[in-house]
Amino acid sequence: MNRPDSLTRFNNEEFDICIIGAGASGAGCALDAVLRGYKVALIDKKDFASETSSRSTKLIHGGVRYLEQAFKKLDFAQLKQVRHGLEERHIVLKNAPHLARPLALMTPVSSWFEGLYFKIGLQLYDAFAINDTLPKSKWLSKKEVLDKIPTLDPKKLHSGVLYYDGQLDDARYCLAIVQSASEQGAAVANYMEVNGFEKNESGKLVAVNAVDTRSGNNYTIKAKLVINCTGPFADHIRLLANPALPERLRPSKGVHVMLPAKTLNSEYAMLIPKTSDGRVVFAIPFEGATMIGTTDTEYNKVSEEPMLNEEEKQYLAATLNPYLAKPVELSELRSGFGGLRPLLSADPGKSTKSLVRDHEIELDEKTGLLSLLGGKWTTYRLMAKDTIDEADAIFSQQKPCITDAHILAGGEHFDRESWRKLATDFALSDEVARHLMSKYGSRAGKVATIARDNSLLAEKLSPEYPYLKAEVVYAVRTEMAVTLRDFLARRVRMEITDWKETLNVLPVVASLMARELEWTEEQEKKELAEYAALIQKFIAGAQLA
Ligand SMILES: Cc1cc2nc3c(=O)[nH]c(=O)nc-3n(C[C@H](O)[C@H](O)[C@H](O)COP(=O)(O)OP(=O)(O)OC[C@H]3O[C@@H](n4cnc5c(N)ncnc54)[C@H](O)[C@@H]3O)c2cc1C
């Protein structure tokens, strides 16, 4: 991916399709469209996956809670959503096996009756998952549950129901989709904010006006069709094109907190089946930490980044603690993050937690703007397929969708054990080799080569994490990392797992990026100070001393 090349193409070419927003939805649409032979531009006002798509619970799932609601309320829309999620689950796992993996989840229960209820429910969940090879659910004894998650409180535990879903590194998965689209010929760029449109005499969109927020330069990207994939920000773009459109989005805030891995001391995740506000909460091992989430509250300030606050921190700890033998101390909290669900509602009276997570495609007849609204990570490919099918209809074409069989960047010839060969070939520790393989897949050798060619870059960024200095260089040269946050929050996931260590490694990352991107000393200082101030704001917001 080469940003200057893409910017030149935006000035010189006319595209079939310009996609606004490079989260899961926009990246998925770009790959689908380019594989069908369309000439595609993909732009985002910030970084790829910088909004909701890097701040999810990271589950590839049909949603056990949605299944429960579907049966309790005889809600067929929820049932369809579960079926779609489970149909897509195995494709998400198969197409980027380095970034997505099966995840075992334990549901602890406090009575025989509760165990039976969840066993029947999860057996139904299994039955919806046709075409996939994940193990089926199992009802386990108390001893078996404690063997798997030793930190649970034996006094309150009767038994547990184990089931499987998928887990992905959401930000890197999105990046792999963008990289794949780019490798197929799409022009992609981050930090391109759409601020207007050009229309022809009949009012149809013919070009997108965007500003490169890094340089301040303006671009007019000509395109026959514009697709709006801006998730929770979709109303802004819809109304920018046609102010007469009614608002559709009901964004809802969800936060997660990160605790040390010893909280569960397990590779198994846990589903807390009932919270005080009638939802489910997960405790999931992720990147050497235990991630707890999420909340669900209406959020109207979409222009402000949703941050973890003191009340949410207390709520998540209070939800988890009754299950643990030793309650978590809030002082152990390492970090947290918030995201906005792009929920859709025609009924302002409904609570956000009852809204279906399904997607909808809207064609504004007046301007020709196509908007992909709602949805979830798990179904991103299906959402993209439905959107580009609609684009096909607009172009009077019938090009087949082939994304179900398209292996994403880094997933080619991937073998779970190949980290061993990487470790031997490049004299890397097992920890580093495993990390590189799990993030870059079949391209891990390219990062290892940078480290081998310069011993300074073979050093780790932090003694506590397997991240190498070489990854900063690779991220800038190959993955279009432009800011410190691009690297620390999304190319590696340190910002979301450990705020204090993020601050510690910041000067080194800044100096490596400054050299690669030819920043002046003044710019390096400014980038460092701004990002450090943001992390300090997160720490203060969550009242972490
Ligand atoms: C707390 C939480 C937990 C979740 N957990 C899960 C889960 O476990 N599994 C699951 O399947 N789903 C989950 N989801 C849902 C899933 O994360 C989202 O549905 C999905 O990421 C939305 O992707 P998107 O591309 O539509 O939106 P986004 O990822 O928000 O992307 C929209 C993009 O548009 C860009 N943009 C906005 N305005 C402009 C503009 N003017 N010009 C250019 N670009 C612009 C933004 O910068 C952004 O990158 C969760 C969501 C939340 C909030």
Side-chain angles (χ1 to χ4, degrees):
M1 297 198 294
N2 184 306
R3 196 164 183 274
D5 280 359
S6 293
L7 298 182
T8 308
R9 287 183 62 190
F10 294 153
N11 268 335
N12 298 338
E13 295 180 23
E14 183 185 8
F15 295 88
D16 294 322
I17 304 177
C18 177
I19 297 165
I20 310 171
S25 307
C29 284
L31 180 61
D32 191 319
V34 79
L35 286 173
R36 293 194 207 198
Y38 290 111
K39 194 165 171 184
V40 174
L42 172 68
I43 53 174
D44 197 287
K45 78 170 174 188
K46 293 189 185 160
D47 186 27
F48 312 115
S50 55
E51 297 288 347
T52 322
S53 296
S54 60
R55 304 189 199 158
S56 75
T57 311
K58 299 153 200 1
L59 288 176
I60 315 159
H61 62 164
V64 285
R65 185 172 73 89
Y66 310 137
L67 185 67
E68 191 182 30
Q69 287 186 352
F71 278 97
K72 277 189 175 161
K73 298 181 183 162
L74 291 179
D75 183 339
F76 289 104
Q78 299 266 13
L79 209 57
K80 191 171 110 204
Q81 169 72 16
V82 175
R83 191 170 53 80
H84 281 162
L86 291 176
E87 277 169 8
E88 287 298 307
R89 190 174 68 177
H90 76 282
I91 301 176
V92 177
L93 288 167
K94 168 181 73 72
N95 286 357
H98 56 310
L99 296 170
R101 63 176 188 115
L103 179 72
L105 294 109
M106 186 72 74
T107 315
V109 297
S110 58
S111 68
W112 179 85
F113 180 75
E114 214 183 27
L116 184 68
Y117 178 80
F118 286 110
K119 178 61 189 129
I120 293 172
L122 288 164
Q123 214 155 322
L124 260 174
Y125 192 65
D126 291 339
F128 274 93
I130 35 175
N131 299 331
D132 92 21
T133 53
L134 289 187
K136 301 294 176 208
S137 60
K138 254 194 207 161
W139 194 353
L140 302 183
S141 70
K142 178 172 171 172
K143 182 179 175 312
E144 286 172 311
V145 175
L146 288 169
D147 281 348
K148 294 185 170 21
I149 308 184
T151 57
L152 293 180
D153 185 355
K155 292 200 286 297
K156 295 184 192 140
L157 190 68
H158 172 273
S159 54
V161 184
L162 183 69
Y163 75 101
Y164 288 80
D165 259 322
Q167 181 184 35
L168 83 173
D169 179 336
D170 49 6
R172 289 207 63 92
Y173 205 104
C174 184
L175 182 70
I177 306 169
V178 176
Q179 276 181 309
S180 303
S182 164
E183 285 167 11
Q184 295 298 320
V188 306
N190 46 12
Y191 296 98
M192 293 287 290
E193 178 168 3
V194 174
N195 52 17
F197 294 102
E198 306 276 316
K199 296 178 183 170
N200 64 15
E201 56 287 354
S202 46
K204 300 281 188 223
L205 307 184
V206 291
V208 169
N209 296 323
V211 56
D212 173 356
T213 58
R214 297 298 292 174
S215 67
N217 294 337
N218 290 305
Y219 290 78
T220 299
I221 305 170
K222 293 192 206 77
K224 297 181 187 119
L225 176 68
V226 179
I227 305 184
N228 169 19
C229 291
T230 51
F233 314 95
D235 278 342
H236 174 71
I237 295 294
R238 290 170 66 244
L239 272 72
L240 197 62
N242 179 1
L245 287 174
E247 291 190 356
R248 292 295 317 280
L249 270 290
R250 289 272 305 281
S252 125
K253 178 186 179 188
V255 298
H256 296 82
V257 294
M258 288 289 184
L259 289 161
K262 68 175 170 75
T263 310
L264 289 188
N265 193 18
S266 173
E267 63 190 34
Y268 288 76
M270 180 168 85
L271 166 77
I272 297 174
K274 203 160 186 71
T275 61
S276 54
D277 54 344
R279 299 176 310 102
V280 300
V281 159
F282 294 94
I284 301 178
F286 182 70
E287 297 285 293
T290 303
M291 181 173 80
I292 321 289
T294 172
T295 55
D296 191 336
T297 46
E298 187 127 21
Y299 193 80
N300 296 318
K301 300 170 278 183
V302 284
S303 56
E304 284 174 33
E305 176 163 342
M307 281 176 8
L308 170 69
N309 63 37
E310 166 72 9
E311 195 188 327
E312 292 158 337
K313 182 178 93 174
Q314 299 279 0
Y315 164 84
L316 290 172
T319 303
L320 176 67
N321 276 338
Y323 291 85
L324 300 179
K326 184 176 165 293
V328 294
E329 299 285 337
L330 286 175
S331 57
E332 293 176 296
L333 206 140
R334 290 186 185 173
S335 59
F337 60 95
L340 295 179
R341 295 177 189 85
L343 300 182
L344 279 175
S345 174
D347 176 1
K350 265 192 161 184
S351 77
T352 51
K353 67 177 188 249
S354 67
L355 297 178
V356 179
R357 271 65 175 157
D358 220 346
H359 64 278
E360 199 181 300
I361 292 147
E362 175 196 75
L363 174 63
D364 174 27
E365 299 285 354
K366 191 165 169 224
T367 62
L369 178 72
L370 198 59
S371 291
L372 169 53
L373 306 171
K376 55 183 211 159
W377 234 121
T378 308
T379 47
Y380 87 92
R381 194 202 65 85
L382 185 69
M383 289 152 56
K385 175 184 178 298
D386 291 350
T387 311
I388 305 304
D389 281 350
E390 186 74 31
D392 258 359
I394 292 166
F395 287 119
S396 306
Q397 299 280 340
Q398 275 190 319
K399 302 183 181 192
C401 168
I402 54 168
T403 48
D404 58 343
H406 191 81
I407 303 299
L408 300 178
E412 313 90 349
H413 317 295
F414 179 74
D415 166 4
R416 231 157 253 296
E417 290 303 304
S418 39
W419 65 268
R420 294 180 195 282
K421 184 164 169 6
L422 187 76
T424 315
D425 290 354
F426 291 91
L428 299 169
S429 68
D430 288 1
E431 181 208 21
V432 169
R434 276 178 192 272
H435 155 67
L436 293 182
M437 197 49 76
S438 73
K439 297 298 170 191
Y440 305 91
S442 50
R443 299 165 188 213
K446 292 182 196 277
V447 183
T449 302
I450 296 176
R452 186 181 56 195
D453 293 348
N454 180 342
S455 60
L456 286 179
L457 298 177
E459 289 170 6
K460 291 210 288 184
L461 283 169
S462 149
E464 293 173 38
Y465 289 88
Y467 311 138
L468 297 184
K469 291 181 182 170
E471 288 175 78
V472 182
V473 172
Y474 182 78
V476 172
R477 290 183 192 166
T478 317
E479 299 181 335
M480 217 184 273
V482 176
T483 69
L484 298 171
R485 198 173 191 199
D486 295 347
F487 180 74
L488 282 160
R490 292 174 288 275
R491 304 307 183 275
V492 300
R493 309 307 308 272
M494 198 186 269
E495 181 197 298
I496 68 160
T497 56
D498 194 336
W499 285 330
K500 289 197 176 136
E501 203 49 25
T502 300
L503 288 175
N504 287 341
V505 303
L506 203 46
V508 178
V509 176
S511 105
L512 289 165
M513 282 190 92
R515 207 172 49 200
E516 283 298 311
L517 289 163
E518 297 178 359
W519 288 345
T520 59
E521 204 173 309
E522 195 187 344
Q523 189 181 359
E524 180 183 337
K525 276 194 192 138
K526 181 170 167 279
E527 302 273 345
L528 197 153
E530 281 176 4
Y531 188 44
L534 181 72
I535 302 290
Q536 296 290 7
K537 191 169 143 196
F538 292 156
I539 293 174
Q543 297 191 13
L544 270 192

